Amino acid sequence: MKIGMCMFLWTTAVSKKHEPLLRDIKATGFDGVEIPIFAGTPDDYTKLGELLDRIGLERTAVSAMGDPAMNLISADGSTRKAGIDYMKWAIDCSQALGAKTLSGPLHSTLGAFSGSGPTAAEKKRSVASQRAIGDHAGKKNVTIGLEALNRFECYLLNTMDDLSEHIDAINRPHIKAMYDTFHANIEEADPINAYTRNRRNVVHIHISENDRGVPGRGHIPWKETFSAIRKNGYDDWLTIEAFGRSLKDLAAATKVWRDFSESPEAVYREGYKHIKNGWKKAGA
């Protein structure tokens, strides 16, 4: 098992100026960080990967698609193509970074709604889009971890059962699922069994408290969560995802209107101990 820290808490564009923070994250004990990919070139991410190598941090990647002009489930073919091109670019940047996984709600436009649930036509278009993306991801040896989001952030895929069924339909080895404890807390009647039932497709896990704050301070059933994850053989990244108000656009997208902790340091230092201890106890 590896413990990661998502950089969304501070930025959507990690650079050399974040080196002191990255070094403190490493000193805290983290195995790696999750790097947002929203702008730049593969060469930029190659340089960032070299910085992370010098610090001794491994990495995963994360992105999202908030522009309706590149919606992967749109009825308009040029709009879908724009989304596929974006994903190919993000995959190329992930490979340059040295990230083996790229996760997030990479199936539809974040925060865009039709006024009803997903249609059969939308899911069919999604399968076609994801197959094209998966073929490119396979060539680059990057695995996509699609994320089921709560109903207030997307409408295509809200539950792990729906996500896993969709991934089975896509049928590409480099298109898989991510499990996020925050979203599961909202959408799943039984978050633990939702994970267990769909473990076969899970390649990445976000550790996120019910309020998006410090892991361990809220009401996520952590003992049962860590036990289920460990019992079912998952032994990869457990990455903290938390949010703050420092980035106005990201705070608006994630509906963060107040501070959830006294400091970012509390999130990653206390959060690291929470995962480390929870994982140890789950194996006792």
Side-chain angles (χ1 to χ4, degrees), residues 248-273:
K248 184 178 179 181
D249 289 346
L250 185 59
T254 53
K255 310 300 184 288
V256 173
W257 315 126
R258 67 185 191 279
D259 292 324
F260 298 133
S261 65
E262 62 275 24
S263 69
E265 289 78 12
V267 175
Y268 68 87
R269 291 174 184 167
E270 189 174 324
Y272 174 82
K273 293 177 182 178

Side-chain angles (χ1 to χ4, degrees), residues 35-49 52 59-63 85-102 136 140 142 144:
I35 301 296
I37 294 180
F38 287 95
T41 68
D43 285 346
D44 295 328
Y45 290 96
T46 296
K47 293 174 184 176
L48 179 55
L52 296 174
R59 74 288 326 218
T60 58
V62 63
S63 191
D85 288 344
Y86 174 88
M87 283 301 301
K88 288 181 177 179
W89 163 84
I91 289 165
D92 291 348
C93 291
S94 299
Q95 182 197 41
L97 177 68
K100 295 292 182 68
T101 58
L102 169 63
H136 186 76
K140 301 295 183 176
V142 173
I144 307 297

Side-chain angles (χ1 to χ4, degrees), residues 1 10 12 27 39 44 51 54 61 67 77 97 115-116 124 139 149 174 202-203 215 254 256 281:
M1 182 272 295
W10 300 273
T12 56
D44 295 328
L51 172 62
R54 291 195 295 273
D67 184 355
L97 177 68
S116 60
K124 184 177 180 179
K139 294 175 184 176
L149 258 59
H174 288 82
V202 175
V203 296
T254 53
V256 173
K281 290 177 181 178

Side-chain angles (χ1 to χ4, degrees), residues 159-184:
T159 69
M160 289 302 296
D161 285 348
D162 285 346
L163 173 60
S164 202
E165 180 182 22
H166 197 54
I167 286 168
D168 289 342
I170 293 164
N171 192 29
R172 288 295 186 273
H174 288 82
I175 302 292
K176 292 296 182 180
M178 179 175 76
Y179 179 75
D180 184 296
T181 57
F182 169 81
H183 296 294

Side-chain angles (χ1 to χ4, degrees), residues 210-266:
N210 68 282
D211 65 351
R212 302 274 208 185
V214 180
R217 292 188 183 179
H219 67 234
I220 297 291
W222 290 113
K223 179 180 179 181
E224 295 82 359
T225 297
F226 287 127
S227 179
I229 293 170
R230 189 158 187 172
K231 179 181 178 181
N232 285 280
Y234 181 88
D235 195 29
D236 215 309
W237 287 99
L238 298 180
T239 296
I240 296 173
E241 184 186 48
F243 293 95
R245 294 190 297 160
S246 60
L247 297 171
K248 184 178 179 181
D249 289 346
L250 185 59
T254 53
K255 310 300 184 288
V256 173
W257 315 126
R258 67 185 191 279
D259 292 324
F260 298 133
S261 65
E262 62 275 24
S263 69
E265 289 78 12

